[in-house]
Structures are given as C-alpha cells and as structure tokens.
Amino acid sequence: MIDRLLAATTQVLDERGYAGLSTNRVAERAGVSVGSLYRYFADKNDLIEELRTRSSADVLTDLTDALTAAVAMPARDGVRHVLAVLVAALKRHRAVTTAMISEAPLGAHGNILPEVERQLAQVTRIFVAVHAPHLEPAEAGARIHLAMGVTLNACLRITLEPPPGITEDRLIDLTADLLVLGLLPDPLARA
Amino acid sequence: MIDRLLAATTQVLDERGYAGLSTNRVAERAGVSVGSLYRYFADKNDLIEELRTRSSADVLTDLTDALTAAVAMPARDGVRHVLAVLVAALKRHRAVTTAMISEAPLGAHGNILPEVERQLAQVTRIFVAVHAPHLEPAEAGARIHLAMGVTLNACLRITLEPPPGITEDRLIDLTADLLVLGLLPDPLARA
Amino acid sequence: MIDRLLAATTQVLDERGYAGLSTNRVAERAGVSVGSLYRYFADKNDLIEELRTRSSADVLTDLTDALTAAVAMPARDGVRHVLAVLVAALKRHRAVTTAMISEAPLGAHGNILPEVERQLAQVTRIFVAVHAPHLEPAEAGARIHLAMGVTLNACLRITLEPPPGITEDRLIDLTADLLVLGLLPDPLARA
Amino acid sequence: MIDRLLAATTQVLDERGYAGLSTNRVAERAGVSVGSLYRYFADKNDLIEELRTRSSADVLTDLTDALTAAVAMPARDGVRHVLAVLVAALKRHRAVTTAMISEAPLGAHGNILPEVERQLAQVTRIFVAVHAPHLEPAEAGARIHLAMGVTLNACLRITLEPPPGITEDRLIDLTADLLVLGLLPDPLARA
DNA sequence: AATGAATGAGCGTTCATTCAT
DNA sequence: CATGAATGAACGCTCATTCAT
C-alpha cells in the first residue's frame, strides 16, 4: 500500500508537477481512498518526506558502492567514478529530483541532497586525510564544504540542464579535475 | 504604495515563507486593502516578479561595479573581489533570496540568480579569453558553465548556511582559488 | 445531496433572485459545505444547468403527453389542451422559470424554453402539414416561428403576470383561437 | 457629462455584454472618473435605468408618430405600419435591447418594453373600441393584453433572431394579420 | 465639481484532513 | 482496515461605492 502510494506520488509529480500534487489526486492515482493514505502517512508532508527519503536512500546505495570502489583508485579516477555514479543515480530519479529541487518549497521539505551530501562529506574527509594529511582540520573542513557544493551543484546541472555542445563525460572530467584541485592543495598528492 | 506592498511581501516571506505568501496577507501586513494591491499589481505573480526583479537589479548593480573594478586587478584578486561583493549583495537580500532560491517553485518564477549568472558568464567569457586564449571554445564554455555553478552555489552557501569554524573571508579565498584553478588550466596565467 | 442542493438553489433563486445566487449561499441554504456542492457539480454553471435541464425535462414530459393527446382532437381543442398543460407545467416551476426566463443572462445559460419551443415546433409542423397541406414550406415555417413566439409568450404571461379581471381559462381560449387563426389560413380547416 | 456616460455605457454593453458592464469601465470609457459617474447617477442601477428610459423614450417617439399615422389608415394597414416602425426602432437600439432583454436580470431592471407596451395598449384600446365596439370590456382587455405580448414578442424576434428563408416584410405581414385576427373578432370590421 | 486611490465584502473555487460507516 | 462523503478555512481576485484632496 505504501509503495503504491509512493509510486502514485511520483507519477503525479511527473505529470502535474509539485503544484499539482494533492493528496486526493495521489490516492485516486493509487487506486485507494484518501482515508487510506492518511492511515499510512501522517499528512501530506509525511508522504513527501517519505518519497524523498526513499529516493535519497536509493541514491545513497549507489553512492556507497561507488565510494567503496573509489578508495582503491588513484585520486582523480576515484572522484570521477563517484561523480559518474551520482549523475546516473540522479537521472534515475529525475522526476523526484526535479520536483524536490526545482519546485518544492525547500524550506518545507529540504531536498534529496542533504543526506547524500552528508554521506559524501564523510568519505571525503577520509579521502582528504589520506591524500593531504598535512592540511589543517578547519581548512580541510571548509574545502570539503565547498567541494560538496561544487559536487552536488555540478551533478544537478549535468543531470537537469546540461550545457549544449559538450559531452556529459567531458563535463564529469572537468568537474573531477576541479574537485581534486580544490580539495588537495598539494600537487604531488594528485595522481 | 508599491514600495509598501513590496516591503510587506518581503516581511511575509520572512515570517511565513513562500507557501504562506497570500495576497490578502500581504495587503493586511502592508496596512492596505487587497483591492489596493490589485491596483498596483496585475496579480500575485506580478507582485512576486516585481520583488524578484528589484532584488535582481540591485544585486546586478553591485555586480557590474565589481566586475568593472575586477578587470584592472590580477586574476585571482579580481575573482575574489567579485565573490566578496556578490556575497554582500545576497546577504542584503537574504529574505528574498531565501524565499526565491530555496522555496519558490523555480518553474513558476525562476529565481534571482539566472540574471546574475548571465551577466557573470558574459564577463567571465572575456576573462577566460584574455587569460587563457588558447582554450578551445567548447572547452571554455563548459568550464564557464561549471564555474557559474560553483560561484553561485558557493556564494549562496556562504550567505545562507556558512560552515562553522571558519571565517567568511577564508571561504571566499578558497572559492576564488578554486575558480581560478578551474577556469584557467595554464598555471602561468594565474597571477 | 444533489436534490438537496438543487432544492436549495431554487430557494435562493426565489428569495434573492439570479443575481443573489452564490455557491456559498446555496450550500449554506442546503445545510452542507461548499466543498460538498463542488463534489456534485463541476462549477456554478453546472449547478444552474442541471436545474434548468431538470425543469425543462419535467415540462417536456407533460408537453409530450399533451401533444400525443392533442393529435386525436379537433384542431382547436388540441391546441387548447396543449396550452393548458403548458401553463400548468410552467406554474409548477414558477421559481426556476422566473429566474431563468426573466433574470438569468440568456447568453450564459439559455433558458428553459428553447427546448420546449423546439419540441413544440416539431409537432406543430406536422399539425400544419395535416390541416393546411397546401401552405408553402417557407410560409409555413414563418407562421410556425411566429406561433411559437405567441405560444410561449402567452403561456409565460398567463403564468407570471396574468391580466386582472379575466379567468385563466378564457385567456387560454383566446390564445388558442389566435393560434389556430394564425397557423391555418384556410377557414375550412379549422374544426 | 450624462450623455457621455450613457454613450459609454452603450459602448461597453456592446463590447462586453451586460456581465462586463462595470461602473469603473463605463467611467474609463467615458473618459471621466468613477467619482463623476456617481455625481450624476445614484448607483449602477440608476445608470442602467436611465439608459433604458432613454432608449424607451426614443422608441416611444417613433411609436407615437406611427400610431398617429395609423389611425387614418385601414385597420390592417395601420397595424402593419406600427409594427414596421417598431421593428425599425428596436433595430436602432439593438445593443441596449439585446443587453436588457436577453442579458440583464429583468427582475432588477425591467426592460425597455413595458413603457412601449403601455403606450401601445392605450392606443390599441381605442383602435378596438372603434373597430369592434360591441366587444365586452373584459374580453377586449384580455385580447389587448395578449396582443401586446404577440406584438412585442414578434418585433423582438424579427429584430434579434429573424428566422431564415423569409423576408422581414413577410414576417411583419403575417404578424399584422395575426393581430387583426386576434383583436377584431368581427370579420366585417377587418378592412 | 471632479478626481481616482482606496476600500472590503463577497465571489467561485480548492484541498488537506476527518470520521461515520 | 478501508472507504469516500463531508468539511470549511483559505485562496486569488472583482467591483460598486466612498471620500480626502
């Protein structure tokens, strides 16, 4: 039932956008009564949150795998791999991503990315500690914070509004370069 | 009256967020009747657009000055100056920026930044042409596109959710470094 | 619920006239919420149309019976019978008739009578063909058109603003005479 | 000023229909302020009433002349003349007539015709007294009442929705025949 | 006299939420 | 458990009317 409702929510989001998302419509689309929706979700917000959480979790699954694989690679290759996986995952959730990032009141629901960012930041801290051990903690923290912004923003741009005349691969390459440059001040560390 | 209504809109946005922004509430907060609101604005959308336009114009004024000043500076200093001015301008419009960037359905109203980004991209093209003339056009375009994302995202983060334990100045420094690094592949060009 | 709402609509029409007919008022008068009204009617117009359609259908039912009975009678008696039935039916729907005929913007909703007139005209064509077969088609058409106006107008007058000092029966008699005279130019045909 | 406002009202009625008739619009169209409108007319209703009255008066002027001329003619010719003049006059006021008859809440403003009908009835009484002196007063009254309905309804139909395939002249002829037939029971009286 | 900015009750309509069945 | 009819506050917007200037 819950899955049915969340699937219906995604559909409605796809077809009508965030503004067209009403609980009655979701229930109708799911083929159940509104009453049932309110048995499984406290309110509309809860429904949206759950959808966001699930999309987030799905993205995180891929991300975790990518991060695991990345640690065994040279720095730049690892970063590149993570970016590519992230873009692919966001593409898969284009509907929810679009709705949540571009349409939904962020203040109300946050977006998919905070959890992704948290996970990413955690691993990035280790990455920086390994490759640039002499960096001061505060300095490292700031670089990581900025890098997270760069990463998510770049992946979103690549996913939702890719610039014309250039391949996605090249964009990911450039972003990877930028991130390595930004994260690791020591040129020697960059493999 | 127009100013009064726009000020009230900003207030309501501040207190209730985008979702709580209603024409009746704005009129009430402005101490006028709804009818008056509709004398000066065609509809709710027009009200929001006007607020956005004004904020945008105000940010652009500062930005233009900063860009003019920046061309006479060494590359990194110029970039830094522009970032600092942008952060200051966004801070001044924190309420509208938050509401428009983070809450408003982007599809409905766009946000302040597209216009800022456009202006910024234009000058950045020249900047890149001067400092890295050998860069291929498509490559340069992609770098600029990404750099715009980095710039706006960084300024927004610095303005709206600055990371703890580090000064704003240092964050701007780091961002400037990142941008120069990302835009100009030739190390010699970086002054 | 639908009946309740239509009854309330009739009441409001009676008490406040067409101009005073608002969806909120109808709902209140029906003792239900506005929301309920919109569960059963797409919009205000739909509500009005439904009321009109029902009144129209009810009048048409009687009219059809009367026409069926009339064909077996001598010409004048048949005409008279139809008129009497029509007056009785309109009386039964006095509220709706008044509102729709006399108050509603005709352009917006039409009124009850077009459907009545259409049905009446159809049978009248046969009546004329039988009793005055030598009449030219165009001439017959014009006579019928005028006769329809006379019929409806007379019935409306008899129903809504009967002249003083004379019985309804006598008015119907006179109208019947007039119609027979107007429809059938051949005196011999008039039984 | 009054004329200007009434002319503007007619224009607005023509262009936007009764539903689009607002005092602000009328004032704007007249090139004066709403305030001025309310100096010369007590309220919106008063404005409409005045327009109706004037149209009515204009029609009455023609009607009076026609009636004066008609008394010197044979019965049927006189009736025909009056009908022709009436149709012409209504055509001249098509905008107001349409709005008032077909769109305006009749209950609120009545229509142009009552005054016309009154005047017409008055003369018709004399006409009947001359041509059918033996008719009982109540009977004559009823016949006149019905004839008024026929007359106005026919003229309106001829003016606003003429049936296709037949000339206006023929329609007026038929109506005249009908009226004479209906008003004067004595065949000898019909010249 | 004339203006027109200002008013505010009221309109048609939506939709998150509840609760008797 | 599930239903879906019912709710009603709130929304965006209109327009006849007023009144300080």
Side-chain angles (χ1 to χ4, degrees):
Chain A
M1 174 70 70
I2 288 184
D3 288 347
R4 220 135 98 94
L5 285 164
L6 291 172
T9 308
T10 306
Q11 265 180 60
V12 174
L13 233 29
D14 234 0
E15 293 162 12
R16 307 263 200 158
Y18 183 81
L21 184 70
S22 83
T23 52
N24 284 284
R25 190 121 63 198
V26 167
E28 188 193 24
R29 179 63 51 131
V32 301
S33 67
V34 225
S36 292
L37 189 155
Y38 278 87
R39 174 163 298 280
Y40 295 103
F41 298 96
D43 53 22
K44 188 188 182 183
N45 204 64
D46 191 31
L47 173 72
I48 294 171
E49 278 298 284
E50 184 60 24
L51 186 63
R52 200 187 63 66
T53 301
R54 295 207 174 194
S55 296
S56 193
D58 188 77
V59 172
L60 281 177
T61 300
D62 284 14
L63 186 61
T64 302
D65 290 350
L67 290 168
T68 304
V71 294
M73 303 177 183
R76 219 214 65 123
D77 292 354
V79 169
R80 203 201 177 285
H81 179 61
V82 169
L83 289 174
V85 167
L86 201 47
V87 166
L90 289 177
K91 271 185 176 170
R92 224 171 40 237
H93 291 278
R94 177 187 290 274
V96 178
T97 303
T98 304
M100 292 300 151
I101 305 299
S102 302
E103 296 189 32
L106 286 198
H109 308 297
N111 58 46
I112 312 186
L113 304 178
E115 286 152 16
V116 172
E117 175 168 345
R118 218 171 298 126
Q119 162 117 1
L120 204 52
Q122 210 171 337
V123 177
T124 307
R125 266 191 286 281
I126 298 169
F127 174 87
V128 170
V130 168
H131 291 278
H134 55 287
L135 217 56
E136 278 185 39
E139 172 85 11
R143 279 171 186 271
I144 290 165
H145 185 78
L146 282 175
M148 291 305 98
V150 172
T151 304
L152 297 178
N153 187 272
C155 289
L156 242 26
R157 284 190 171 228
I158 294 170
T159 304
L160 302 179
E161 38 174 305
I166 192 154
T167 66
E168 187 180 302
D169 268 4
R170 185 75 192 114
L171 284 168
I172 294 178
D173 273 336
L174 284 170
T175 309
D177 287 343
L178 196 61
L179 281 172
V180 173
L181 244 41
L183 285 171
L184 310 178
D186 181 357
L188 302 177
R190 300 169 201 148
Chain B
M1 173 68 62
I2 286 183
D3 289 345
R4 213 136 102 97
L5 285 164
L6 290 173
T9 307
T10 305
Q11 264 180 62
V12 173
L13 235 27
D14 235 0
E15 292 161 12
R16 306 264 202 157
Y18 183 81
L21 184 69
S22 84
T23 50
N24 282 285
R25 193 121 64 200
V26 167
E28 188 190 25
R29 175 69 45 155
V32 301
S33 66
V34 223
S36 292
L37 189 156
Y38 280 89
R39 171 170 294 280
Y40 296 102
F41 299 96
D43 51 24
K44 190 189 179 184
N45 203 65
D46 191 32
L47 173 71
I48 294 171
E49 277 297 283
E50 183 61 24
L51 188 62
R52 199 187 64 68
T53 301
R54 292 202 177 197
S55 297
S56 189
D58 188 77
V59 172
L60 281 177
T61 301
D62 284 14
L63 184 61
T64 302
D65 290 351
L67 289 169
T68 306
V71 295
M73 303 177 184
R76 220 215 62 125
D77 291 355
V79 170
R80 204 204 175 285
H81 178 60
V82 169
L83 290 174
V85 167
L86 202 47
V87 167
L90 290 177
K91 270 187 177 170
R92 227 172 36 239
H93 292 279
R94 175 188 292 273
V96 179
T97 303
T98 304
M100 293 298 149
I101 304 303
S102 304
E103 294 191 33
L106 286 197
H109 308 296
N111 58 46
I112 310 186
L113 302 180
E115 286 155 17
V116 172
E117 176 170 342
R118 216 170 301 128
Q119 163 117 0
L120 207 50
Q122 210 172 339
V123 177
T124 306
R125 266 191 288 280
I126 299 168
F127 174 86
V128 170
V130 168
H131 291 279
H134 55 287
L135 218 54
E136 279 185 37
E139 172 85 12
R143 280 171 185 269
I144 290 165
H145 185 78
L146 281 175
M148 292 304 98
V150 172
T151 304
L152 296 178
N153 187 271
C155 289
L156 242 25
R157 285 190 169 228
I158 294 171
T159 305
L160 301 179
E161 35 175 308
I166 192 156
T167 65
E168 186 180 302
D169 266 5
R170 185 74 192 115
L171 284 169
I172 294 178
D173 272 336
L174 285 170
T175 308
D177 287 342
L178 196 59
L179 282 172
V180 172
L181 245 39
L183 286 170
L184 311 178
D186 181 358
L188 301 178
R190 301 171 200 143
Chain C
M1 174 66 63
I2 287 183
D3 290 344
R4 214 137 99 97
L5 285 164
L6 290 172
T9 307
T10 306
Q11 264 181 61
V12 173
L13 236 26
D14 235 359
E15 293 161 12
R16 306 264 202 156
Y18 183 81
L21 184 69
S22 84
T23 51
N24 283 282
R25 192 121 64 199
V26 167
E28 189 190 25
R29 175 69 45 158
V32 301
S33 66
V34 223
S36 292
L37 189 156
Y38 280 89
R39 171 170 294 279
Y40 297 102
F41 299 96
D43 52 24
K44 188 188 180 185
N45 203 65
D46 190 32
L47 174 70
I48 294 171
E49 277 298 283
E50 184 61 25
L51 188 62
R52 201 187 62 68
T53 300
R54 293 201 176 197
S55 297
S56 189
D58 188 77
V59 172
L60 281 176
T61 300
D62 284 15
L63 184 61
T64 301
D65 290 351
L67 290 168
T68 305
V71 294
M73 304 177 182
R76 219 214 64 124
D77 291 354
V79 170
R80 202 201 177 285
H81 178 61
V82 169
L83 290 174
V85 167
L86 201 47
V87 166
L90 290 177
K91 270 186 176 169
R92 226 171 38 239
H93 292 278
R94 174 188 292 273
V96 179
T97 303
T98 305
M100 292 299 149
I101 306 302
S102 304
E103 295 191 32
L106 286 197
H109 307 295
N111 57 45
I112 310 186
L113 302 180
E115 285 154 17
V116 172
E117 175 168 345
R118 217 170 301 127
Q119 163 117 2
L120 206 50
Q122 209 171 339
V123 176
T124 307
R125 265 191 289 279
I126 297 168
F127 174 88
V128 171
V130 168
H131 291 280
H134 55 287
L135 217 55
E136 278 185 39
E139 173 84 11
R143 279 171 186 270
I144 290 166
H145 185 79
L146 282 175
M148 292 304 98
V150 171
T151 303
L152 297 178
N153 188 272
C155 289
L156 243 24
R157 284 188 170 231
I158 293 170
T159 304
L160 303 178
E161 36 175 306
I166 191 157
T167 66
E168 187 180 300
D169 267 4
R170 185 74 191 116
L171 284 168
I172 294 178
D173 272 336
L174 285 170
T175 308
D177 286 342
L178 197 58
L179 281 172
V180 172
L181 245 39
L183 285 170
L184 310 178
D186 181 357
L188 302 178
R190 301 169 202 147
Chain D
M1 173 71 69
I2 286 184
D3 288 347
R4 220 135 99 95
L5 285 165
L6 290 172
T9 306
T10 305
Q11 264 180 61
V12 173
L13 232 29
D14 232 0
E15 292 162 12
R16 308 262 200 159
Y18 183 80
L21 184 69
S22 83
T23 51
N24 284 284
R25 191 119 66 199
V26 167
E28 188 192 25
R29 181 61 50 130
V32 302
S33 66
V34 225
S36 291
L37 189 156
Y38 278 86
R39 174 162 298 281
Y40 295 103
F41 298 96
D43 52 22
K44 189 188 180 183
N45 204 64
D46 191 31
L47 173 71
I48 294 171
E49 278 298 284
E50 183 61 24
L51 185 63
R52 200 188 62 66
T53 301
R54 294 208 174 192
S55 295
S56 193
D58 187 78
V59 172
L60 281 175
T61 301
D62 284 14
L63 186 61
T64 302
D65 290 351
L67 289 169
T68 305
V71 295
M73 303 178 184
R76 218 212 66 123
D77 292 354
V79 169
R80 206 203 174 283
H81 178 61
V82 168
L83 289 174
V85 166
L86 199 48
V87 166
L90 289 177
K91 271 187 176 170
R92 225 171 40 237
H93 292 277
R94 177 188 289 273
V96 178
T97 303
T98 304
M100 293 299 151
I101 304 300
S102 303
E103 296 190 33
L106 287 197
H109 308 296
N111 58 46
I112 311 186
L113 305 178
E115 285 151 17
V116 172
E117 177 168 345
R118 216 170 302 125
Q119 163 117 0
L120 204 52
Q122 210 170 340
V123 177
T124 306
R125 266 191 288 279
I126 297 168
F127 175 87
V128 170
V130 169
H131 291 279
H134 55 287
L135 217 54
E136 280 186 37
E139 173 85 11
R143 279 170 185 270
I144 290 166
H145 184 79
L146 281 175
M148 293 303 99
V150 172
T151 304
L152 297 178
N153 187 272
C155 289
L156 242 26
R157 286 190 169 225
I158 294 170
T159 304
L160 302 180
E161 36 175 306
I166 193 155
T167 66
E168 188 180 300
D169 268 5
R170 185 75 190 115
L171 284 169
I172 294 178
D173 273 335
L174 284 171
T175 309
D177 287 342
L178 196 60
L179 282 172
V180 172
L181 244 39
L183 285 170
L184 311 178
D186 180 358
L188 302 178
R190 300 173 202 145

